[in-house]
Every structure is written in structure tokens, then in C-alpha cells.
Amino acid sequence: MQQPFDRAAEDLGNSIHLEHVNVQVPDQRLATLFYVAGLGLTRDPYLMVSDGNMWVNVGRSQFHLPSGAPQVVRGHTGLIIAGRAALLDRLASVANKLKGTSFAFSEHNDYVEAICPWGNRLRCHEPDAARFGRITLGIPYVEFEVPPGTAKGICAFYPEFLGIPAALANGDGTVARVQVGKDQHLQFRETDRAPPAYDGHHVQIYITNFSGPYRKLAARNLVSREDNQYQYRFQDIVDPADGRPLFTVEHEVRSATHPMYLRPLTNRNPDQTNRTYAPGHEQSAFAMGPDQYDGR
């Protein structure tokens, strides 16, 4: 039988979803102004609803924002948020209340950069099926700035230790792109800028082969924390050839049997207000509809 399809194009490898980015924030009110009122995202209505932590939904992914000393990702987080003009209006509407913080926003050719009150940089892109798949609201990538000469080793680490595909790209700098879900990546871009000290922020992924990576990481003493039956963590990315440390960022690794895997997340339509309310339009879609299908 003739083989008309490239079946390998749909392979994900061992990681099937980038679920959240976790950074501590010292003020939940300012975090609400930025992430919810400014960006137009949605506070999870079911979990972490007190003042010690806040989970903010971004399509099928989240930000986790526990109270504490501020943490800043050493790079930036990519978001898909439809409607540039509305996004800019929302960010402008919270500017006065965020005066005296690190908050800022600016327009660029293919993204809007928004900086949280404590310095986290977010690049907000319009939906683009060719570039990001069918996501209309979500986190397609987290990009870390890494020292020169480390991307190649990082590119080797993920397939070797976690069974996750990675590819090296050279264009605007050397970048290791690690596929951690459908249309989701961790990106490690080499830069001459000296990185600040690691402050404990983390990313969380779901993997299907849960025990195999654990054994490999444990054999190199890389498992940094044992959380529960469904979850463990590691921080150091090392060169598989010689064990040389390359970069540090905590990975919260969950099994696909974790009780919260693919938990439905509520995403409000930020264009709805009490003055513009229209029944049936309360929620935002996180993916393109049938009329926008890209034909693949």
C-alpha cells in the first residue's frame, strides 16, 4: 500500500504537555492586575483561591504564582493571545496601578512584550498555525538564556535522559529546541550575557515513560526532590558525555497518571464586561475552530 503520510511528523517523544510555569510573587494583588486584568488571563476558580498562591489559566496551561520572594525566569515565556489591540488596551489600563514596579509593555513586529511587576518577560504572539499550531490561547514555549557552548550538550541531554526530542538550530543565535508537548517547546538560546543566579523558578511537564528517566537521573544523582508517587523533580541539565553542568532550572516531572493530567481549565473571554455582556460568549477557545483548520 502506498504510504501518503509522514507518520514521524506526529511523534511527540516522551513529553506530552508543558503544563505550568511557576514563579513566586510577593504581592497577589499586583499579580492579579498584571496577569488577569492586564493580560486578560483567568484565575483558576477551583484550586489555590486563597492569598498564598494563585493559579492562572492560559488555555490548557497555567502560571503558578505562590507568594514569596520574587522569582524571574532567565529568559522569557511565550504566550498566544489573540487580539493585539485589545491586549494593548488592557495593559495600558493597569499601567497607573503598577507604577513604581518593573511593569512595562512594548510593541514589536510579531509580538507584544509585557514585563510583570517583578521583571518576568512575556512575549505575546497572535495565533499563527504555521508557527505555533492551532493554539489560540496558551504557552507554546519557554525560552532560557544559556551560556555560549552549552546548547549542543543541552540538545543531547533531553533525548538521553528523558526520551524527549531536541534539535539544534542556528539563526538568531544558537538554540536548542526541546519538544515538550504538541506545539510546545523549551528553548535554550546561547547568549554572551552573564545569567543571574538561579532563584528557584520551575517548569512542569508530563511524560509517559515515567520510571525510565527517573532511573537515569537518579543514577547521576540528578533527582533533586521526591514529591509523591506521581511526581519528582530535577534541576541540573548536564552534558551526557562528561557530566558537566550546563544550565539549572527545576523541572517538575509528572506522570500521565497524575490525577490532574488534562484537568479542564476555565478560560474567560476578556472582551466580556458588564457593559458588553453577551450570553454564550463567556469563555475563550484555546484552539482554532473547524473553519480555521489548517488542512494538515
Side-chain angles (χ1 to χ4, degrees), residues 62-100:
Q62 293 185 315
F63 287 104
H64 288 187
L65 306 168
S67 296
Q71 295 175 337
V72 179
V73 172
R74 296 181 293 177
H76 67 270
T77 300
L79 303 182
I80 304 297
I81 298 179
R84 175 182 281 218
L87 171 63
L88 291 169
D89 286 346
R90 290 194 301 269
L91 291 169
S93 74
V94 300
N96 284 337
K97 292 183 178 181
L98 295 177
K99 278 184 178 178

Side-chain angles (χ1 to χ4, degrees), residues 33-35 37-40 79 81 83-99 101-109 111-124:
L33 283 169
F34 178 73
Y35 287 94
L39 292 176
L79 303 182
I81 298 179
R84 175 182 281 218
L87 171 63
L88 291 169
D89 286 346
R90 290 194 301 269
L91 291 169
S93 74
V94 300
N96 284 337
K97 292 183 178 181
L98 295 177
K99 278 184 178 178
T101 73
S102 295
F103 169 75
F105 66 97
S106 56
E107 286 192 84
H108 301 263
N109 285 340
Y111 62 89
V112 170
E113 181 169 84
I115 301 176
C116 89
W118 304 279
N120 278 289
R121 292 185 290 126
L122 310 175
R123 289 190 179 179
C124 305

Side-chain angles (χ1 to χ4, degrees), residues 52-72:
N53 199 343
M54 176 167 56
W55 289 4
V56 175
N57 299 340
V58 196
R60 296 177 64 203
S61 298
Q62 293 185 315
F63 287 104
H64 288 187
L65 306 168
S67 296
Q71 295 175 337
V72 179

Side-chain angles (χ1 to χ4, degrees), residues 35 37 115 138-139 218 234 250 292 294:
Y35 287 94
I115 301 176
I139 300 179
F234 72 91
E250 184 172 76
Q292 298 169 301
D294 59 12

Side-chain angles (χ1 to χ4, degrees), residues 220-277:
R220 295 281 192 104
N221 294 316
L222 293 175
V223 175
S224 58
R225 183 165 148 186
E226 301 275 8
D227 286 330
N228 54 49
Q229 177 67 19
Y230 309 101
Q231 182 174 302
Y232 55 83
R233 304 184 188 220
F234 72 91
Q235 291 188 348
D236 293 329
I237 301 170
V238 302
D239 192 319
D242 55 18
R244 174 171 59 99
L246 301 172
F247 190 69
T248 299
V249 61
E250 184 172 76
H251 296 59
E252 181 180 316
V253 182
R254 291 181 182 174
S255 68
T257 59
H258 193 289
M260 286 198 293
Y261 175 58
L262 290 185
R263 180 175 69 93
L265 300 180
T266 298
N267 292 278
R268 69 188 179 90
N269 176 0
D271 294 332
Q272 284 269 39
T273 69
N274 61 316
R275 294 179 181 274
T276 63
Y277 180 77

